[in-house]
Amino acid sequence: MSVQEDGGHRGTEIAARTERRWATISVIIIVAMALLAAFAGIHRATMPQPRVETTDPSRLHLSGEFAESNLGSVLEANGAVTVRAIGQQYSFTPACIVVPAETPITLRATSADVVHGILVQGTNINTMLVPGYISEQLMRFEKTGDYLMPCQEFCSFGHEGMWGKVRVIDQAKFAELAKSGGRLSCVGQ
Ligand code: CUA
């Protein structure tokens, strides 16, 4: 065997060993990632979620937080606003939500029947309304005006006709309207 041939043989052997080593490392990485994903998934599935609020969709209108008379916007003592709304095939109640500009707003909403969604056009406000669960979403509007609020989750044949609206009005005007102490919506403005 010539020196050259021997060198070539050894080179092939080194290349094969290096390839095997890297193949082993990549298999170890894949197995480690799969184990990590399995652990994270199982761990999460066995832990209670940090915060879940439930409600009985069959009794929504009758009593409790989402009774008909409690839906709409309310000015809290600390100056913040809470909006309560429900979605049902195929509308939102209130159909037009009224809120003040430059104010922290908490939207609390749920569904009376199937899964719906609330999305406010031109903002990052986007949440699902799941029957049996309360969705809470923080929002704030800097400018007054009307914003479209379509249902963003397919909820059967009338889905494309399910639209609501958010009307952002002047802070002082909202405070004036809120003096009555009732639940506000766009109705009567
Ligand atoms: Cu409600 Cu789509």
Side-chain angles (χ1 to χ4, degrees):
M1 200 183 271
S2 75
V3 175
Q4 225 180 355
E5 269 178 345
D6 187 40
H9 182 67
R10 262 190 21 226
T12 313
E13 223 173 63
I14 291 167
R17 210 187 306 143
T18 311
E19 255 178 50
R20 269 199 305 276
R21 195 179 300 149
W22 281 109
T24 310
I25 289 170
S26 41
V27 167
I28 289 169
I29 290 172
I30 291 166
V31 169
M33 285 169 80
L35 287 175
L36 189 68
F39 171 76
I42 293 163
H43 181 72
R44 225 184 124 165
T46 53
M47 292 290 147
Q49 285 183 37
R51 186 163 170 267
V52 176
E53 284 184 276
T54 57
T55 176
D56 178 0
S58 65
R59 300 190 54 80
L60 276 188
H61 303 268
L62 305 173
S63 62
E65 183 177 355
F66 293 93
E68 205 89 43
S69 58
N70 202 35
L71 299 178
S73 311
V74 58
L75 183 58
E76 307 288 358
N78 64 1
V81 168
T82 304
V83 180
R84 292 184 180 85
I86 60 172
Q88 64 262 301
Q89 289 169 322
Y90 297 99
S91 63
F92 294 105
T93 309
C96 177
I97 289 169
V98 66
V99 291
E102 296 168 347
T103 306
I105 299 157
T106 305
L107 171 69
R108 289 173 61 78
T110 185
S111 166
D113 41 43
V114 300
V115 176
H116 299 279
I118 277 188
L119 176 154
V120 182
Q121 186 195 33
T123 70
N124 63 356
I125 298 158
N126 187 339
T127 188
M128 278 169 86
L129 307 184
V130 181
Y133 296 89
I134 299 170
S135 302
E136 195 173 279
Q137 170 100 54
L138 302 176
M139 26 190 228
R140 187 186 168 96
F141 297 90
E142 300 306 328
K143 288 192 195 130
T144 59
D146 281 7
Y147 297 76
L148 291 173
M149 187 182 78
C151 174
Q152 44 79 315
E153 195 68 50
F154 181 75
C155 51
S156 194
F157 304 113
H159 164 70
E160 69 275 9
M162 186 169 169
W163 288 78
K165 205 193 268 180
V166 175
R167 178 164 295 159
V168 183
I169 64 172
D170 184 64
Q171 218 180 17
K173 194 177 162 195
F174 185 90
E176 190 62 35
L177 290 168
K179 271 184 183 166
S180 65
R183 303 292 179 255
L184 301 172
S185 72
C186 303
V187 177
Q189 286 180 66

